[in-house]
Amino acid sequence: MSLRQLEEALPALLEIRTDEPRGIDWNFLTEETGIVFPEDFVELVEAYPPFTVDEFLGLHIPSPGEEAHFVSGMRGLLRDLSSLRDSDMSHGYVPYPEPGGLVPWGDSCDGDVFFWRANEKNPQSWTILVSGHNDDWCEFKGTLTEYLAGLVTGAVPPDGLPPDFPGTTPVIEAD
């Protein structure tokens, strides 16, 4: 799914879209994390600042010149997942860079965490995994933009999330 299709599903996004690419230092991010991010995420990040959907789901989006903060936040979430794994509370999921490891891309105000599951060498084939605050772990086979657009249109059930998320006209707020 393209960014354009996500924007069609979530037109409120257009209000915060930048006119020019934001200029994220992807080389720095790859060097620091070892991750080549999925193309749809790169396209989203270059067009949009960090934002929240319906005051609930926040996307972890790096800001130009602050890529080190993004990496630091990612490492903190990976440490949290590692602690869960070490306590046998991660349902067998492991943090990246372990094979099939999880890479965080978002969270909710309720404590849910959204991940890519790096279960393929090609990041375009990674799946979405939601770690619900109630210890629900739900997987979606598709891209981040497909997942978000599907949540908004109702094509993807909000498994592990509140059943009324998102609302009928989701509000987008730039962070």
Side-chain angles (χ1 to χ4, degrees):
M1 173 169 286
S2 72
L3 183 57
R4 187 173 140 273
Q5 290 168 311
L6 174 61
E7 292 167 340
E8 288 172 3
L10 194 56
L13 267 178
L14 295 172
E15 296 172 19
I16 63 167
R17 185 180 175 111
T18 61
D19 293 331
E20 299 292 326
R22 295 178 62 237
I24 302 301
D25 187 345
W26 294 103
N27 289 330
F28 173 83
L29 292 177
T30 298
E31 288 172 9
E32 289 294 311
T33 65
I35 297 169
V36 174
F37 290 88
E39 291 173 6
D40 69 321
F41 180 70
V42 171
E43 187 179 8
L44 180 72
V45 167
E46 286 295 340
Y48 290 98
F51 65 91
T52 305
V53 180
D54 266 358
E55 298 181 351
F56 179 77
L57 190 161
L59 278 81
H60 300 172
I61 293 179
S63 294
E66 297 182 18
E67 290 87 352
H69 295 293
F70 174 81
V71 171
S72 177
M74 177 182 286
R75 287 181 178 150
L77 289 168
L78 291 173
R79 278 191 302 274
D80 292 347
L81 180 58
S82 185
S83 293
L84 286 175
R85 187 245 346 253
D86 294 346
S87 300
D88 292 326
M89 297 173 57
S90 70
H91 297 263
Y93 294 108
V94 298
Y96 184 87
E98 294 180 37
L102 304 185
V103 177
W105 60 260
D107 58 16
S108 80
C109 63
D110 283 350
D112 309 294
V113 183
F114 300 83
F115 297 96
W116 287 288
R117 185 171 180 212
N119 50 347
E120 300 284 338
K121 289 185 179 190
N122 178 359
Q124 279 49 260
S125 299
W126 291 356
T127 57
I128 301 298
L129 192 71
V130 179
S131 171
H133 73 279
N134 291 327
D135 200 32
D136 299 322
W137 291 78
C138 307
E139 190 164 1
F140 171 76
K141 294 185 185 312
T143 67
L144 179 140
T145 53
E146 289 171 334
Y147 178 72
L148 292 175
L151 280 176
V152 171
T153 64
V156 173
D159 292 338
L161 305 174
D164 59 347
F165 174 78
T168 54
T169 308
V171 175
I172 301 297
E173 293 179 357
D175 294 344

